[in-house]
């Protein structure tokens, strides 16, 4: 298959992602912050994730910088990748809608923060991170390049591993037993069975 099938899918994914996030990004700037737990490493990993998920694919689409690692795109991984992209964008939309003004790019809580346990959050504690893993798998499948393809998963995976425990600690400190109970009935990235 022509690599432009992969390139077009990346462009569509990025544009839809930006459209979903934009209103939340603007609104979140106006919501007062109560606590901020981001440190230097978190900022470094966030920049790394931004490079891996957005800048590297855009450079791949617009230049021949990564041409050495190109391979041929096949219909089956491409189709599975498109499915993962739709799943990822849907999860991303649902989690932003459910989280509302409680959302933040870094590790923060708001002055009027409420613990969201409804909608997609009734089964999964980190659906926004699940959505990003789904988008990362999608990118690895429909982006026919051995360097650029895995860049999303690797860069976001590093941020996730570093961040998830600190985020849960922060939520536990703020919401106490309400969060403990919530942890018992939910899964981190996929719904808890039974
Ligand atoms: N980890 C979540 C949210 C990502 S946004 C997800 O993947 O869906 C990060 C911010 O969301 C954190 O700084 C925290 O303040 C907030 N947050 C995380 N889980 C929350 C919940 N269940 N209810 C309210 N706010 C939450």
């Amino acid at each position: 298959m022509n690599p432009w099938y992969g390139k077009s899918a990346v462009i569509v994914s990025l544009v839809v992602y930006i459209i979903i996030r934009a209103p939340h990004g603007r609104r979140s700037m106006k919501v007062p912050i109560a606590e901020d737990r981001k440190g230097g490493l978190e900022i470094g990993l966030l920049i790394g994730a931004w490079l891996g998920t957005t800048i590297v694919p855009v450079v791949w689409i617009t230049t021949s910088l990564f041409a050495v690692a190109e391979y041929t795109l096949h219909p089956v991984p491409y189709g599975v990748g498109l499915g993962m992209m739709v799943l990822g964008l849907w999860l991303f939309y649902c989690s932003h809608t459910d989280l509302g003004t409680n959302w933040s790019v870094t590790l923060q809580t708001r002055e009027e923060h409420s613990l969201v346990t409804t909608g997609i959050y009734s089964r999964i504690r980190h659906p926004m991170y699940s959505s990003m893993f789904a988008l990362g798998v999608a990118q690895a499948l429909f982006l026919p390049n051995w360097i650029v393809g895995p860049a999303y998963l690797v860069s976001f995976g590093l941020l996730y591993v570093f961040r998830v425990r600190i985020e849960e600690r922060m939520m536990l400190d703020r919401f106490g037993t309400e969060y403990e109970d919530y942890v018992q009935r939910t899964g981190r990235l996929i719904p808890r069975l039974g």
Side-chain angles (χ1 to χ4, degrees):
M1 285 173 84
N2 188 313
W4 270 100
Y5 280 102
K7 295 187 183 190
S8 312
V10 176
I11 293 168
V12 169
S13 178
L14 270 174
V15 169
V16 175
Y17 182 96
I18 290 167
I19 291 172
I20 293 172
R21 174 150 282 178
H24 299 279
R26 271 199 303 274
R27 196 182 49 192
S28 81
M29 283 187 242
K30 299 180 194 132
V31 186
I33 295 161
E35 193 193 355
D36 196 327
R37 290 203 189 179
K38 71 171 182 293
L41 188 54
E42 156 91 5
I43 294 172
L45 289 169
L46 256 177
I47 293 170
W50 176 67
L51 289 174
T53 62
T54 309
I55 300 303
V56 169
V58 169
V59 169
W60 173 68
I61 289 168
T62 52
T63 71
S64 55
L65 194 66
F66 299 105
V68 67
E70 221 80 348
Y71 65 86
T72 308
L73 182 62
H74 292 286
V76 172
Y78 183 70
V80 177
L82 285 186
M84 291 302 284
M85 179 183 103
V86 172
L87 173 71
L89 290 172
W90 174 75
L91 273 172
F92 189 66
Y93 173 80
C94 294
S95 46
H96 256 307
T97 306
D98 291 339
L99 210 51
T101 54
N102 300 298
W103 171 75
S104 51
V105 177
T106 56
L107 294 168
Q108 293 169 336
T109 54
R110 307 290 177 174
E111 278 177 14
E112 311 229 328
H113 209 109
S114 56
L115 180 64
V116 177
T117 60
T118 52
I120 195 84
Y121 285 86
S122 63
R123 307 288 306 280
I124 314 175
R125 290 202 291 291
H126 302 288
M128 199 174 285
Y129 300 157
S130 311
S131 78
M132 288 169 180
F133 276 116
L135 292 174
V137 171
Q139 192 153 298
L141 289 171
F142 59 47
L143 206 152
N145 187 293
W146 295 115
I147 298 169
V148 189
Y152 192 125
L153 270 183
V154 171
S155 61
F156 178 71
L158 284 172
L159 176 66
Y160 173 81
V161 167
F162 169 77
R163 176 192 264 217
V164 72
R165 280 171 209 284
I166 303 176
E167 181 172 328
E168 293 198 342
R169 182 76 243 171
M170 182 177 75
M171 300 307 281
L172 190 64
D173 291 346
R174 169 99 187 208
F175 295 103
T177 50
E178 196 190 343
Y179 193 70
E180 264 172 28
D181 295 345
Y182 175 60
V183 169
Q184 293 307 313
R185 52 179 202 273
T186 50
R188 267 201 175 127
L189 293 173
I190 53 171
R192 203 184 188 123
L193 298 174

